[in-house]
Amino acid sequence: MSVSLGELAVRFGLELRGDPDVRIDGVAPLGAGREHALSFLANPRYARALASTRAAAVVLDQASAATSPVPCLISENPYAAYARIAAYLFPAPAVTPGIHPSAIIDRAARIDPTASVGAGAVIEAGARIGPRSCVGPHCTVSAGVVVGEDVRLVGQVFLGERVVLGSRVVIHPGAVLGADGFGFAPDRGVFVKVPQLGGVRIGDDVEIGANTTIDRGALGDTIVEEGVKLDNLIQIAHNARIGAHTVIAASTGVSGSVSIGKRCMIGGAVGFAGHISICDDVSIAGYSVITHTIKQPGVYSGLIPSEEASTWRRIVARLKRIEFLAARVSRLEQKLNMRASGAQSEDDE
Amino acid sequence: MSVSLGELAVRFGLELRGDPDVRIDGVAPLGAGREHALSFLANPRYARALASTRAAAVVLDQASAATSPVPCLISENPYAAYARIAAYLFPAPAVTPGIHPSAIIDRAARIDPTASVGAGAVIEAGARIGPRSCVGPHCTVSAGVVVGEDVRLVGQVFLGERVVLGSRVVIHPGAVLGADGFGFAPDRGVFVKVPQLGGVRIGDDVEIGANTTIDRGALGDTIVEEGVKLDNLIQIAHNARIGAHTVIAASTGVSGSVSIGKRCMIGGAVGFAGHISICDDVSIAGYSVITHTIKQPGVYSGLIPSEEASTWRRIVARLKRIEFLAARVSRLEQKLNMRASGAQSEDDE
Amino acid sequence: MSVSLGELAVRFGLELRGDPDVRIDGVAPLGAGREHALSFLANPRYARALASTRAAAVVLDQASAATSPVPCLISENPYAAYARIAAYLFPAPAVTPGIHPSAIIDRAARIDPTASVGAGAVIEAGARIGPRSCVGPHCTVSAGVVVGEDVRLVGQVFLGERVVLGSRVVIHPGAVLGADGFGFAPDRGVFVKVPQLGGVRIGDDVEIGANTTIDRGALGDTIVEEGVKLDNLIQIAHNARIGAHTVIAASTGVSGSVSIGKRCMIGGAVGFAGHISICDDVSIAGYSVITHTIKQPGVYSGLIPSEEASTWRRIVARLKRIEFLAARVSRLEQKLNMRASGAQSEDDE
């Protein structure tokens, strides 16, 4: 597809600076632009690349526009504007309705005639696939699962029983929804399996990354509300609830019965102790461990940046002996008849 | 299924308090009980929900029984008692013997006539599937693999060569057993692959979560003993051994040749350095890193709970300069002619 | 296969000490050797096992040779020498050319006649499979993907569109290459998906572990250079680059646009903040978090070994109050009219 910069400005409601007849037929990184390619500048880290860009035009904000050597489209949110333009230039391939002859569909499954089912996909009894949804190759849709409209299961996705997907959900390969939650009751040295009888409910416009796992609830459902975006290799345990429009980066683990609020931003490899609640609008730095309920919106962290290894070893050794350091300070205070005062008094007990 | 409370009390050997004719046909969370539903109270965190429960009856311990507003079944271990009753009310669906016509079975595979093989499953030459075992859709059972009795491979499970499963093993989707261990010998700037010639042996009554990986041994086998329960997204490296009735929560990584004892409780996202041993009856808090052999049963931790981010940044900055803080204390001690005594003396060297 | 120790010495250029006619037909761990088995000693941790080994012969270094009770092959790098001998004794099974009748191959795919395609594999339009490559059961090779020569996709591997593999690449089950990167632009409370238009390029001789995920680039490609070895459950985000001959252990996460140099050794469960660069020849201890660009080769760490839990809780409590401890030291210094001098002066501000 080739469009003029002027058409893009009109279609996306952006201010145009420069020649409206410049043709755009693709996108490119700012540092590697090419003829007819549109680029964007959203992260100040890359501002220096603007001066030398070979892109035909750039989407950027008002402040950066003055220094652009090429025509530009101005947006308060250049990244979102770029995302919409790129989606317009490169639309997802249209879903071709139909069922691949190698797919294995139970007679008691209901596939909308506008849906697409790929090679080798398995759809069991009672499952329902909604209009224009696409079930990719090697997906398994278990008995009774409900898939909404315009859903895309890219391929090799496993949906266990009692999984319900809203509309416009995207699930990447290897994701497993609806496996049994991890519930075992210890009893005289062995573990008795606690039947996992709930399901998984996924809201509209959710995206789920590759090899992410979302277990079914023990009783009641595990719930991912609308607009949530989950990266790869995330674990969502049974009966967790993820609030609307929350995003979670890769390798994070959400323990059982954790409730995370709306519009939270969770970094990668974060952990949550079980049975806690996180309120709306909380940001958590990657590699943090959240052990208690959070009732106050804000930013939380437990991340410790690494060091050159011998320096770090000395720090760790000192940390391990921090009680001795505190005891030495106490003895100094005694010698000088000083008391650790105020908030510090607890420090000696 | 509908049973009376009296029947449940007799069948599971529990003390009944209240009307034995109350009918039970399902289970429900304590806070959301409904007519004919059985609930349970095992975690004191939920004790308050008892007073207002709408469940028909509750499984709980002697101490809680006095305050129950509804009939109750009393157990020293209410969670295990509930687990057994729930499994009785909701038995796993019976395995329907037979091979789905789309399954791809090598002629030299041996499938017990009482076993079930699902849609699109692949079973290679020499593999053996035991009585009443269920191979779900899209599973791969490689050449020579042995699957015991009453095993359930839920779906999309990959069993590589030289994998042997005991009986009553449950494996959730996406789990990979028997991939090559990560063995490479550095040699003049490149890595030479070390052939991974061992297998994987899984004991009876083991459960393995979704997308968990258990690599084959380099020489000898990787071993998971009976009764072990593994959550999702766990990595078990080559030649590790997990002792009987140990449970491991999600996202934990067990390095090569690590030996973990029996009845250990390992939290989520725990790490183990390679080639170490953990004795029986060790508990490890989530997000801990175990770098040395543990010879003493007990509880171990390396977990640091997160903080509000600006507070945390100050703590980290101070931690990074802890050597300076110690030096300041030493200078104070010199000024006062005090020596760091006893156990602390090492602190200055 | 059975060979004499003398033949092995000649073929692999190793010094032989002992009887050249000893027959070798297999390998075994040093501690569990058996007749006709070759063992090796590379890790000093296992040196004690040498004295009592029942192996027929051992590969070891000059220093250990003196104490060997059995014939030995001497190498400066016993582990690499062992790896090569083991690969010679146990060659990977030859690829049997041909397409399994259950495989689902698009007419517009090009499969080299010497390649092998396994049961239920799906190969889409325009995909190319090179000479002697093996596509295992249940693999998905999406439209346009290029697979080089002598590649082994073990099984259940998903290759999304715009993935290009070099030669001699090995990919273990459950690995997903070419899923969409995690790119969403926040815009007034919701997230706009940023089209992920790049691909994934994998160099020659790369090995990728089970359930590892490598996302496609947003613009441009995610790149894994030749000789890289990736363990299981690793996340490589969009537009990352992993330099040649770097090895990464399990469960590590590489964030978007991170560039890692050549010959790096990255431990397990390591994290990298986005958009940073790591120079060549860097080693990073497991469980470290790298938040800044590293320009200096060396060893880096952020690992904190765990402790007995009650000891650890005291350390954490003290760490959380480290600011108070510093304030107490400052007050002592004031009392004694001492100033924190030199490098420490910043410590008080």
Side-chain angles (χ1 to χ4, degrees):
Chain A
M1 185 188 303
S2 169
V3 294
S4 73
L5 210 51
E7 286 171 73
L8 290 178
V10 170
R11 175 176 289 271
F12 294 96
L14 303 171
E15 181 188 337
L16 167 63
R17 201 166 292 180
D19 178 1
D21 292 332
V22 165
R23 301 303 297 180
I24 298 295
D25 66 2
V27 291
L30 193 59
R34 59 165 178 75
E35 204 184 4
H36 304 313
L38 181 73
S39 233
F40 70 97
L41 172 60
N43 186 335
R45 191 187 291 262
Y46 295 112
R48 275 180 304 178
L50 179 60
S52 57
T53 189
R54 287 177 293 125
V58 177
V59 187
L60 38 60
D61 65 13
Q62 195 75 51
S64 305
T67 62
S68 177
V70 296
C72 49
L73 295 169
I74 300 174
S75 168
E76 284 180 25
N77 188 338
Y79 194 34
Y82 161 79
R84 292 194 172 95
I85 294 172
Y88 173 71
L89 291 171
F90 298 94
V95 173
T96 309
I99 295 174
H100 194 280
S102 65
I104 304 149
I105 317 281
D106 190 279
R107 284 182 196 177
R110 285 194 284 155
I111 319 287
D112 190 275
T114 61
S116 160
V117 179
V122 172
I123 303 186
E124 298 185 345
R128 281 152 48 189
I129 310 296
R132 298 170 307 281
S133 284
C134 175
V135 178
H138 284 141
C139 288
T140 303
V141 180
S142 296
V145 164
V146 178
V147 172
E149 305 183 7
D150 298 295
V151 166
R152 192 157 68 97
L153 309 180
V154 174
Q156 232 163 274
V157 169
F158 190 95
L159 304 181
E161 296 184 18
R162 292 190 291 282
V163 169
V164 176
L165 308 183
S167 291
R168 296 174 303 283
V169 170
V170 177
I171 308 187
H172 290 285
V176 175
L177 279 68
D180 278 357
F182 195 63
F184 299 92
D187 192 36
R188 281 164 275 173
V190 305
F191 288 86
V192 182
K193 182 174 174 74
V194 180
Q196 302 292 301
L197 302 167
V200 174
R201 280 191 283 143
I202 306 292
D204 296 340
D205 299 299
V206 167
E207 186 152 341
I208 297 171
N211 284 347
T212 281
T213 58
I214 306 180
D215 283 350
R216 68 165 52 121
L219 289 172
D221 294 333
T222 303
I223 294 172
V224 177
E225 295 181 356
E226 71 271 15
V228 165
K229 311 297 181 188
L230 303 178
D231 200 348
N232 298 347
L233 290 167
I234 289 170
Q235 151 75 348
I236 309 286
H238 51 184
N239 297 103
R241 171 188 285 266
I242 314 293
H245 306 294
T246 281
V247 294
I248 304 185
S251 304
T252 282
V254 179
S255 297
S257 300
V258 167
S259 172
I260 296 179
K262 300 182 196 304
R263 296 175 305 277
C264 292
M265 312 269 288
I266 316 290
V270 169
F272 294 87
H275 297 268
I276 64 174
S277 292
I278 310 301
C279 66
D280 298 342
D281 299 301
V282 164
S283 290
I284 301 176
Y287 301 88
S288 303
V289 186
I290 307 298
T291 54
H292 290 85
T293 284
I294 294 180
K295 296 181 175 172
Q296 197 67 36
V299 183
Y300 295 81
S301 178
L303 189 161
I304 302 178
S306 295
E307 293 282 335
E308 186 278 323
S310 61
T311 303
W312 179 249
R313 270 194 299 270
R314 279 195 297 272
I315 292 171
V316 168
R318 191 62 75 175
L319 171 64
K320 294 288 181 98
R321 291 176 290 146
I322 193 171
E323 283 294 292
F324 296 127
L325 190 59
R328 289 164 62 195
V329 173
S330 293
R331 279 195 305 279
L332 285 162
E333 288 167 340
Q334 286 161 12
K335 176 92 166 184
L336 296 174
N337 292 315
M338 287 171 74
R339 278 292 297 150
S341 64
Q344 291 75 49
S345 64
E346 51 153 358
D347 220 74
D348 290 320
E349 264 70 70
Chain B
M1 185 188 302
S2 170
V3 294
S4 72
L5 210 49
E7 285 172 72
L8 290 178
V10 170
R11 175 176 290 271
F12 294 97
L14 303 172
E15 180 189 338
L16 167 62
R17 200 165 295 179
D19 178 2
D21 292 332
V22 165
R23 302 302 298 180
I24 298 294
D25 66 2
V27 291
L30 194 59
R34 58 165 180 75
E35 205 183 3
H36 304 313
L38 181 73
S39 235
F40 69 99
L41 172 60
N43 186 335
R45 190 188 291 261
Y46 295 113
R48 276 180 305 179
L50 179 60
S52 57
T53 189
R54 288 178 292 125
V58 178
V59 187
L60 38 60
D61 63 14
Q62 195 75 50
S64 304
T67 62
S68 176
V70 296
C72 49
L73 295 168
I74 300 175
S75 169
E76 284 179 26
N77 188 338
Y79 194 36
Y82 162 80
R84 292 194 173 95
I85 295 172
Y88 173 69
L89 293 172
F90 298 93
V95 172
T96 308
I99 295 175
H100 193 281
S102 64
I104 305 149
I105 317 281
D106 190 280
R107 284 181 196 178
R110 286 194 284 156
I111 319 287
D112 189 277
T114 61
S116 159
V117 179
V122 172
I123 302 185
E124 296 186 348
R128 282 153 46 190
I129 309 295
R132 297 171 306 282
S133 285
C134 174
V135 178
H138 284 142
C139 288
T140 303
V141 180
S142 297
V145 165
V146 177
V147 172
E149 306 183 7
D150 298 296
V151 167
R152 192 158 67 98
L153 309 180
V154 174
Q156 233 163 273
V157 168
F158 190 95
L159 304 181
E161 295 182 19
R162 291 189 293 281
V163 170
V164 176
L165 307 183
S167 291
R168 297 174 303 283
V169 171
V170 177
I171 308 186
H172 290 286
V176 176
L177 278 68
D180 278 357
F182 195 62
F184 299 93
D187 192 35
R188 280 162 277 174
V190 304
F191 289 86
V192 182
K193 182 174 174 73
V194 180
Q196 301 292 301
L197 303 166
V200 174
R201 280 192 283 144
I202 306 292
D204 295 340
D205 299 299
V206 168
E207 185 154 341
I208 297 171
N211 286 345
T212 280
T213 58
I214 306 179
D215 283 350
R216 71 166 50 122
L219 289 172
D221 294 332
T222 304
I223 295 172
V224 177
E225 296 181 354
E226 70 271 15
V228 166
K229 312 297 181 187
L230 302 178
D231 200 349
N232 299 346
L233 291 167
I234 289 171
Q235 151 74 350
I236 309 286
H238 51 184
N239 297 104
R241 172 188 284 265
I242 315 292
H245 305 296
T246 281
V247 293
I248 305 185
S251 304
T252 281
V254 179
S255 297
S257 299
V258 167
S259 172
I260 296 179
K262 299 182 197 302
R263 297 175 303 278
C264 293
M265 312 270 287
I266 316 291
V270 168
F272 294 86
H275 298 268
I276 64 173
S277 292
I278 310 300
C279 67
D280 297 342
D281 299 301
V282 165
S283 290
I284 301 177
Y287 302 88
S288 302
V289 187
I290 308 297
T291 55
H292 290 86
T293 284
I294 294 179
K295 296 180 175 172
Q296 197 65 35
V299 184
Y300 296 81
S301 177
L303 188 161
I304 303 179
S306 296
E307 292 282 334
E308 186 278 324
S310 61
T311 303
W312 179 249
R313 271 194 299 269
R314 279 196 297 272
I315 292 171
V316 168
R318 189 64 73 175
L319 170 64
K320 293 290 181 95
R321 290 175 292 147
I322 193 169
E323 283 294 294
F324 296 127
L325 189 61
R328 288 163 63 193
V329 172
S330 292
R331 280 196 302 280
L332 286 162
E333 289 166 340
Q334 285 162 12
K335 176 91 166 183
L336 296 174
N337 292 317
M338 287 170 74
R339 278 291 298 148
S341 64
Q344 291 75 48
S345 64
E346 50 154 356
D347 219 73
D348 289 319
E349 264 70 71
Chain C
M1 186 189 302
S2 169
V3 294
S4 73
L5 210 50
E7 284 172 73
L8 290 178
V10 170
R11 175 176 289 272
F12 294 97
L14 304 171
E15 180 188 338
L16 167 63
R17 200 165 295 179
D19 178 0
D21 292 331
V22 165
R23 302 302 297 179
I24 298 294
D25 65 3
V27 292
L30 193 58
R34 56 164 180 76
E35 204 184 3
H36 304 311
L38 181 73
S39 234
F40 70 98
L41 172 60
N43 186 336
R45 190 188 292 262
Y46 296 111
R48 275 180 305 178
L50 179 60
S52 57
T53 190
R54 288 178 293 126
V58 177
V59 187
L60 38 58
D61 63 14
Q62 196 74 51
S64 305
T67 63
S68 177
V70 296
C72 47
L73 295 169
I74 300 175
S75 168
E76 284 179 27
N77 188 338
Y79 194 36
Y82 162 79
R84 291 194 173 94
I85 295 171
Y88 172 71
L89 292 171
F90 298 94
V95 173
T96 309
I99 296 175
H100 193 280
S102 64
I104 304 149
I105 317 283
D106 190 279
R107 285 182 195 177
R110 286 195 284 157
I111 318 287
D112 190 276
T114 62
S116 159
V117 179
V122 172
I123 303 185
E124 297 186 346
R128 282 154 46 191
I129 309 295
R132 297 169 307 282
S133 284
C134 174
V135 178
H138 283 142
C139 288
T140 304
V141 181
S142 297
V145 164
V146 177
V147 173
E149 306 183 6
D150 298 297
V151 167
R152 192 159 66 99
L153 309 180
V154 174
Q156 232 164 272
V157 169
F158 190 95
L159 304 181
E161 295 182 19
R162 292 190 292 281
V163 170
V164 176
L165 308 183
S167 292
R168 296 173 304 283
V169 171
V170 177
I171 308 187
H172 290 286
V176 176
L177 278 66
D180 279 356
F182 195 61
F184 298 93
D187 192 34
R188 280 164 276 174
V190 304
F191 288 87
V192 182
K193 182 174 174 76
V194 180
Q196 302 292 302
L197 302 167
V200 174
R201 279 192 283 143
I202 305 292
D204 295 341
D205 299 299
V206 169
E207 185 153 342
I208 297 171
N211 284 347
T212 280
T213 58
I214 306 179
D215 284 348
R216 69 165 50 122
L219 289 172
D221 293 334
T222 304
I223 295 171
V224 177
E225 295 181 355
E226 72 270 16
V228 167
K229 312 297 181 187
L230 302 178
D231 200 350
N232 298 346
L233 290 167
I234 289 171
Q235 151 75 350
I236 309 287
H238 51 185
N239 298 104
R241 172 187 285 266
I242 314 292
H245 305 296
T246 281
V247 293
I248 305 186
S251 305
T252 281
V254 179
S255 298
S257 300
V258 166
S259 173
I260 296 179
K262 300 183 196 304
R263 296 174 304 278
C264 293
M265 312 270 288
I266 316 290
V270 168
F272 294 87
H275 298 267
I276 64 174
S277 292
I278 310 299
C279 67
D280 297 343
D281 300 301
V282 165
S283 290
I284 302 177
Y287 301 87
S288 303
V289 186
I290 308 298
T291 55
H292 291 86
T293 283
I294 294 179
K295 296 180 175 172
Q296 198 65 37
V299 184
Y300 296 82
S301 177
L303 188 161
I304 302 179
S306 296
E307 292 283 334
E308 186 278 324
S310 62
T311 303
W312 179 248
R313 271 194 300 271
R314 280 195 297 272
I315 291 171
V316 168
R318 189 65 73 178
L319 170 64
K320 294 290 181 96
R321 291 175 292 148
I322 193 171
E323 283 293 292
F324 296 127
L325 189 61
R328 288 163 64 193
V329 172
S330 292
R331 279 195 304 279
L332 285 162
E333 288 166 341
Q334 284 161 14
K335 177 94 167 183
L336 296 174
N337 291 317
M338 287 172 74
R339 279 292 298 150
S341 65
Q344 290 75 50
S345 64
E346 50 153 358
D347 220 72
D348 289 318
E349 264 70 71

